[in-house]
Amino acid sequence: MTRRPRLVATDLDGTLLGADGRVSDRTRAVLVALEEEHDVPVVFVTGRPVRWMEDLWVDVGGHGLAICSNGGIVFDVAAREVRDAFAIAPATLLDVADRVRAAVPGTMFALETLTGFAHEPEWRPRPGGGRPHRGPEPVVAPLAELVADDAPACVKLLARHDEADPEDYWRALDATVGDLATVTWSSTTALVEISARGVTKATTLATLCAELGVEAADVVAFGDMPNDVPMLTWVGRSWAMADAHPDAVAAADAVAGRHDEDGVAATLAALFGLAGWAGADDQSPGGPR
């Protein structure tokens, strides 16, 4: 990349957000400066469902677009509504579930839909707890009922196993149903995320950029987990976080600082010459990987 970027795409958890799950004051100041001083939009590109985003919209100025559910949704922040959705066909979803159950018995399934969260009766609270539920009360029913003709469209299928090794489980499911759907992983547990075939963070970001007249070469991106790999390889220049998964580091062009040390903000401040925000140890826009 030899010209100044026109758009910044960033993952959230493990990337832009600190250890407390929030955008730090330093990072927020950099995002505001990019938009107000350089007219460069920042697009959140996250595996999070929309229901986990409400307290973060202020950090993109309360307007613009965001990509949620690993590319399954384009969300209009100002209107607070889904603009585009790329759903999994019900027949495909049931086929995926059948194959996975046969390959890895003990798997439980849940759905992120256009109206909230739904899960099988077998889906139970994770041992040791987890994130508190957000949004409307979950719909609980057998999987076939959750994808009936009158059910809300599913943009992300979640498969979980409480005894499997997380990375082995992800790779096993990819081998089992990767021909039917997009299988990825961004958790520290055996929780695998499944999208419609061909739908990734990168494909939806590419669609959004085409609408804005922004070429891939003019986009920079940040990420930390395997679900970020398609995006990191599609953009003109990409950074994995210093504490990122090895797959993300291998896919990125460079390595930024840690997510809990404002690594994205430091890299962007150096890249755009934002005086006072790079920090004493962050004067270059990321070293080689």
Side-chain angles (χ1 to χ4, degrees):
M1 178 176 286
T2 58
R3 52 194 179 189
R4 178 159 290 186
R6 296 181 57 201
L7 185 143
V8 174
T10 180
D11 173 54
L12 294 179
D13 295 286
T15 301
L16 187 75
L17 305 184
D20 59 356
R22 303 292 302 168
V23 176
S24 72
D25 291 343
R26 177 190 186 191
T27 295
R28 185 178 297 106
V30 168
L31 301 187
V32 170
L34 288 184
E35 181 167 0
E36 294 184 352
E37 298 175 20
H38 297 276
D39 196 27
V40 173
V42 177
V43 177
F44 289 169
V45 187
T46 178
R48 285 187 177 211
V50 171
R51 62 191 177 88
W52 283 0
M53 294 293 293
E54 189 59 39
D55 56 352
L56 293 172
W57 294 138
V58 66
D59 296 311
V60 283
H63 59 270
L65 299 172
I67 295 171
C68 299
S69 295
N70 287 332
I73 283 177
V74 176
F75 193 75
D76 185 322
V77 179
R80 294 296 197 273
E81 64 183 19
V82 174
R83 199 199 70 172
D84 298 303
F86 304 95
I88 308 172
T92 300
L93 189 152
L94 293 174
D95 195 1
V96 165
D98 286 344
R99 285 199 200 178
V100 171
R101 288 191 210 276
V104 191
T107 292
M108 301 169 280
F109 292 100
L111 290 69
E112 292 290 354
T113 75
L114 291 180
T115 59
F117 188 62
H119 62 81
E120 300 177 302
E122 295 81 6
W123 184 279
R124 51 190 179 272
R126 186 176 298 164
R131 286 180 174 171
H133 177 75
R134 299 182 186 180
E137 281 298 306
V139 177
V140 182
L143 198 60
E145 293 182 20
L146 296 178
V147 297
D149 290 343
D150 59 347
C154 172
V155 293
K156 186 167 72 170
L157 175 66
L158 301 172
R160 196 182 103 209
H161 201 292
D162 289 340
E163 298 177 1
D165 173 83
E167 191 147 355
D168 289 347
Y169 184 61
W170 160 45
R171 298 194 188 281
L173 266 58
D174 190 34
T176 301
V177 297
D179 61 322
L180 295 177
T182 297
V183 179
T184 192
W185 176 58
S186 64
S187 178
T188 57
T189 65
L191 177 68
V192 168
E193 302 158 76
I194 302 171
S195 304
R197 186 177 182 184
V199 174
T200 67
K201 290 186 175 186
T203 60
T204 304
L205 179 61
T207 299
L208 189 154
C209 287
E211 294 174 4
L212 298 175
V214 176
E215 298 178 4
D218 293 326
V219 181
V220 296
F222 298 83
D224 74 305
M225 287 295 283
N227 65 328
D228 295 312
V229 166
M231 176 175 70
L232 295 175
T233 56
W234 180 77
V235 300
R237 186 160 173 78
S238 59
W239 284 262
M241 310 314 292
D243 47 350
H245 187 279
D247 285 10
V249 174
D253 298 307
V255 175
R258 292 174 55 90
H259 76 100
D260 53 2
E261 296 176 352
D262 292 327
V264 172
T267 301
L268 289 174
L271 185 64
F272 286 89
L274 302 177
W277 292 110
D281 299 323
D282 299 300
Q283 299 302 314
S284 65
R289 56 187 165 95

